[in-house]
């Protein structure tokens, strides 16, 4: 029996989905960008950042973990959701220490790019100024906890794709931290620079040494086009 | 850790069949044995389970009752809630720190004592209360402390001879559910007289709704769970009663354990489940042995085990799972994660637990009180149950009363009672405000005392904290904000960061340093946290702030700074480090 097609609407635009697709996957395929931070197309979603929260059938839900279903009504670009998403981005900015002007990820950083896209002008929330140490024990990678936004991408990538389980969380609440599978730091683990886990960090927490300025500032992904442009380009192509 | 210690850890892992889903029990056993879980114990556990140390640490570091560093042999945990503080907990804490020569949160140099604060321990009607190595001390006064410390020094452990080591029965007024026999064979016999589908129909006809506060129709939950495909079905009882001011589940499990187990067995029969799990909050560990004896007695009477009540094919047993200090585990999906030996981070839904819950199998998670009600419905029938309460809220509710009230305790009242009627019943007609359903509920002002306790009006899990005119509603809201900072699981950004920012916003308001713009910003932030958080904890964590803003605007207005802007830090605060380095205050123009 052929499965009947799943059709739903997002901001009034009709989208088709296949069985098992999440709202964000279906919208990505259709060229409709839902702002997101922790979600990565190659990884199981963790739903940690909640930036992709949409109003789905009248109730807020994260698009990355909500299965697409027939007849769904999704609201994405509403002033309320944009405002709430910007507040989430601001929360993550003040939770860690994110000095964009001299950060290695500037221009390539999804947090920074979302700040621009969502119209974050000046921080309204009080900086928390947490104290973190840098883990530089690994020869090829350093781990800068100042930047970690606890998205869980590296945890999922290491476990599911690298088969290593290098990363995990530690503690709870505002004290939660990214933890590594060795008391001696990242250098004492089996982590390698070619691991998927080393390549999925949305910010500059997991940084590959001697590689950071291969592309100079001003010529990086989000220096050239706002985050989400690649997804939206699909729809423009289809329309033309 | 010596080689002997390693052997002990290995034996503990074997005792739980090297089952990764029993990680909580394994950590608990190691903690119990050694007082903490050292790095090499973590490695021994990881090796024994065939997992990574980072996974053990993930679970271990989540729970407040587990330690990675050695702490005092006597662990004194004082309950810190608005109720305990109004009853003098700060004086008790001061007496402990004076007697021990250490500050709160510290361990004495000889390693004998640690004294610290903890979240509500379920003794709101007999505060100030404390846990000493799991034993509960109640109604403490500063004068009791030297005797307690001396007794602990002498015995080195907490036992029943400790001063104040008694829990008074909290049941003040029993109603239909808590009257009559304590449960047992009759209820099971009545249940087995019906086919399982009919049992669910009876529960549905009784209009039973979840007693934890959310009020989901129990009959519907059971029907969804029964028809969900799965190799096994599970019945879980949520006894992680962590909402500050709630202690009805303690009363039920202390005084009516058979009734609760009856209810779980009814559910087991109705759902076709063979396994029941009761998740007991770590603060209630003192009940562990007694509950195990009750379970054994039920097995002996064939009320649990195989062929229950002589019915071939009806096999059902119940396992107790001890929690370890995490309010969030009262959220049903976090509870399931914890049952599986993981950190208590809630799951995203769908899938709902009724489809994929414990071990990805269909699971019905219900409140302790819900099971007690289900047992009584099977005993007396649906019509009897709907004879109490309102149209939308059938039956009775166990209301836990604490605070400025001469008769605190558990009252079983029919749904539909107004706050005014309740206040008269408990002899507290002078209340200035009532916190209904705990910090995650609402601060109710006298203008709303005509509202009714019912799912369709003031929905509640039972916590009812009464505050007199001498109490400061904003102070209480700030303490609740602090509670959510301590209990946020940290998984999602809005709750993890938002709870801390909200607390800081409230601190500024309470300190009288906030302008109208600050109050507005705090309100906006609170609404974002409500809208964007992943689970019920985050979605309700701003309630103390939002409901006090709505119901007590005058309390906020009274503390406002005039003008458009007040800095988050004062000049003195900003210069404190420089001032201390220079050893004199900044030179000002007047000087």
């Amino acid at each position: 029996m052929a499965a009947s097609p799943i059709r739903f609407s997002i901001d009034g635009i009709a989208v088709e989905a296949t069985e098992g697709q999440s709202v964000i996957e279906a919208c990505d395929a259709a060229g409709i960008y839902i702002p997101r931070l922790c979600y990565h197309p190659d990884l199981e979603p963790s739903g940690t950042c909640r930036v992709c929260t949409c109003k789905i059938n009248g109730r807020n839900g994260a698009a990355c973990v909500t299965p697409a279903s027939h007849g769904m009504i999704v609201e994405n670009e509403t002033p309320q959701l944009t405002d709430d998403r910007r507040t989430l981005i601001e929360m993550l900015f003040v939770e860690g220490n994110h000095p964009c002007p001299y950060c290695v990820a500037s221009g390539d950083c999804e947090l920074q790019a979302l700040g621009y896209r969502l119209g974050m002008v000046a921080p309204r929330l009080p900086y928390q100024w947490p104290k973190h140490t840098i883990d530089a024990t690994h020869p090829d990678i350093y781990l800068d906890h100042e930047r970690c936004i606890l998205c869980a991408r590296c945890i999922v990538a290491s476990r599911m794709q690298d088969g290593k389980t290098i990363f995990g969380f530690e503690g709870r609440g505002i004290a939660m931290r990214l933890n590594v599978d060795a008391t001696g730091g990242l250098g004492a683990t089996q982590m390698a620079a070619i691991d998927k886990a080393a390549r999925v960090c949305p910010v500059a927490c997991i940084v590959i040494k001697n590689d950071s300025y291969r592309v100079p500032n001003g010529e990086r992904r989000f220096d050239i086009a706002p985050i989400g442009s690649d997804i939206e380009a699909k729809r423009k192509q289809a329309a033309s | 850790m010596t080689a002997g210690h390693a052997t002990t850890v290995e034996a503990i892992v074997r005792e739980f069949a090297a089952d990764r889903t029993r990680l909580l029990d394994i950590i608990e056993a190691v903690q119990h044995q050694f007082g903490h879980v050292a790095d090499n114990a973590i490695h021994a556990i990881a090796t024994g389970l065939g997992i990574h140390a980072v996974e053990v640490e993930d679970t271990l570091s989540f729970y407040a009752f587990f330690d990675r560093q050695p702490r005092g042999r006597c662990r004194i945990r004082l309950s810190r809630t608005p109720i305990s503080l109004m009853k003098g907990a700060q004086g008790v804490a001061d007496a402990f720190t004076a007697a021990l020569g250490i500050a709160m949160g510290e361990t004495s140099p000889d390693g004998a004592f640690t004294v610290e604060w903890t979240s509500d321990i379920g003794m709101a009607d007999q505060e100030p209360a404390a846990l000493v190595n799991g034993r509960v001390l109640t109604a403490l006064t500063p004068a009791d402390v030297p005797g307690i410390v001396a007794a602990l020094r002498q015995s080195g452990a907490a036992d029943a001879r400790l001063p104040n080591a008694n829990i008074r029965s909290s049941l003040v007024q029993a109603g239909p559910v808590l009257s009559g026999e304590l449960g047992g064979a009759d209820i099971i016999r009545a249940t087995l007289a019906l086919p399982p589908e009919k049992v669910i129909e009876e529960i549905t006809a009784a209009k039973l709704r979840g007693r934890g506060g959310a009020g989901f129709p129990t009959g519907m939950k059971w029907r969804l769970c029964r028809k969900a495909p799965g190799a096994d079905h599970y019945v879980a009882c949520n006894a992680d009663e962590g909402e500050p001011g709630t202690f009805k589940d303690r009363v039920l499990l202390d005084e009516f354990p058979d009734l609760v187990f009856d209810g779980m067995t009814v559910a087991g029969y109705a759902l076709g489940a063979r396994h029941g799990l009761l998740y007991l909050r770590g603060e209630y560990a003192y009940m562990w042995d007694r509950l195990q004896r009750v379970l054994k007695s039920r097995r002996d009477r064939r009320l649990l085990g195989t062929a229950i009540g002589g019915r071939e094919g009806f096999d059902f047993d119940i396992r107790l799972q001890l929690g370890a200090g995490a309010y969030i585990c009262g959220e049903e999906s976090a509870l399931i994660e914890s049952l599986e030996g993981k950190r208590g981070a809630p799951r995203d839904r769908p899938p709902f637990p009724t489809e994929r819950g414990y071990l990805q199998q269909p699971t019905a998670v219900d409140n302790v009180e819900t099971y007690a009600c289900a047992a009584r419905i099977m005993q007396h029938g649906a019509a009897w149950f709907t004879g109490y309460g309102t149209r939308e809220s059938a039956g009775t509710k166990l209301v836990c009363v604490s605070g400025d009230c001469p008769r605190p305790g558990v009252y079983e009242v029919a749904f539909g009672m107004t706050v005014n009627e309740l206040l008269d019943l408990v002899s507290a007609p002078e209340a200035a405000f009532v916190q209904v359903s705990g910090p995650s509920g609402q601060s109710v002002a006298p203008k709303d005392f005509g509202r009714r306790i019912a799912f369709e009006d003031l929905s509640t899990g039972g916590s009812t904290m009464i505050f007199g005119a001498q109490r400061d509603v904003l102070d209480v809201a700030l303490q609740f904000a602090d509670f959510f900072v301590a209990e946020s699981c940290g998984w999602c950004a809005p709750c993890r960061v938002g709870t801390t920012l909200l607390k800081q916003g409230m601190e500024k308001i309470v300190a009288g340093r906030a302008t109208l713009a600050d109050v507005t910003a705090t309100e906006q932030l609170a609404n974002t946290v409500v809208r964007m958080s992943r689970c019920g904890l985050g979605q309700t964590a701003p309630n103390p702030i939002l409901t006090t803003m709505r119901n007590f605007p005058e309390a906020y207005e009274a503390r406002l700074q005039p003008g458009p802007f007040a800095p988050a830090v004062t000049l003195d605060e900003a210069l404190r480090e420089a001032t201390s380095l220079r050893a004199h205050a900044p030179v000002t123009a007047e000087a």
Side-chain angles (χ1 to χ4, degrees), chain A residues 217-237:
Chain A
N217 286 120
E219 296 174 20
R220 297 178 176 186
R221 273 194 295 172
F222 308 128
D223 293 330
I224 294 161
I227 191 167
S229 304
D230 51 341
I231 291 169
E232 288 167 323
K234 289 184 216 165
R235 185 147 172 269
K236 287 188 191 123
Q237 270 168 9

Side-chain angles (χ1 to χ4, degrees), chain B residues 504 507-515 518 559-561 565-570:
Chain B
Q504 291 169 351
E507 278 172 341
K508 195 175 176 187
I509 292 167
V510 168
R513 289 192 281 107
T515 64
D518 289 314
R559 304 217 190 183
L560 285 190
Q561 284 280 324
F565 173 77
V569 290
T570 63

Side-chain angles (χ1 to χ4, degrees), chain B residues 260-497:
Chain B
V260 177
F261 294 140
D262 283 338
M264 291 180 69
T265 311
V266 169
Y269 177 70
L271 304 183
R274 291 184 297 134
H275 309 283
L277 302 148
L278 185 139
Y279 189 96
L280 186 68
R281 68 186 303 221
E283 290 81 351
Y284 292 169
Y286 76 91
M287 294 182 195
W288 182 266
D289 291 340
R290 188 154 167 274
L291 290 175
Q292 292 289 12
R293 283 197 297 277
V294 174
L295 289 175
K296 179 173 184 309
S297 152
R298 291 180 71 88
R299 287 181 197 114
D300 293 344
R301 289 179 288 149
R302 300 200 70 179
L303 295 175
L304 281 180
T306 51
I308 291 173
R311 174 68 60 90
E312 284 306 320
F314 178 34
D315 304 339
F316 182 76
D317 211 327
I318 294 171
R319 168 167 88 75
L320 304 183
Q321 172 71 58
L322 191 62
Y327 165 78
I328 184 60
C329 291
E331 197 280 343
E332 64 174 359
S333 65
L335 181 140
I336 289 170
E337 288 283 299
S338 189
L339 278 171
E340 293 179 359
K342 294 183 272 188
R343 69 167 43 230
R347 294 176 178 175
D348 273 296
R349 278 145 287 196
F352 289 90
T354 47
E355 304 159 59
R356 270 181 279 156
Y358 179 65
L359 306 179
Q360 298 297 315
Q361 301 301 316
T363 305
V365 184
D366 287 302
N367 184 266
V368 176
E369 186 183 346
T370 310
Y371 285 119
C373 291
R376 284 291 188 230
I377 290 166
M378 296 319 293
Q379 186 178 15
H380 300 303
W384 167 84
F385 194 73
T386 54
Y388 300 95
T390 69
R391 248 165 57 98
E392 305 277 317
S393 311
T396 62
K397 183 78 194 87
L398 299 183
V399 173
C400 315
V401 178
S402 63
D404 290 314
C405 161
R407 297 168 65 210
V410 168
Y411 293 74
E412 185 183 350
V413 302
F415 273 115
M417 181 177 261
T418 65
V419 176
N420 265 327
E421 288 163 353
L422 180 65
L423 291 171
D424 283 339
L425 176 67
V426 306
S427 317
E430 303 295 310
F433 65 103
V434 181
Q435 185 73 24
V436 175
S437 205
S440 70
Q442 313 188 33
S443 303
V444 179
K447 67 179 168 63
D448 292 324
F449 284 179
R451 292 182 63 185
R452 294 178 187 283
I453 305 281
F455 294 111
E456 64 272 26
D457 192 356
L458 275 177
S459 183
T460 180
S463 174
T464 309
M465 301 185 216
I466 298 172
F467 296 91
Q470 73 275 37
R471 312 296 171 190
D472 180 346
V473 68
L474 296 198
D475 258 348
V476 172
L478 173 57
Q479 287 170 34
F480 288 152
D482 195 33
F483 168 76
F484 286 114
V485 171
E487 299 298 341
S488 168
C489 89
W491 188 268
C492 80
C495 176
R496 182 183 70 240
V497 188

Side-chain angles (χ1 to χ4, degrees), chain A residues 35 47 66 113 154 157 170 188 202 215:
Chain A
T66 304
C154 59
E170 184 181 14
V215 182

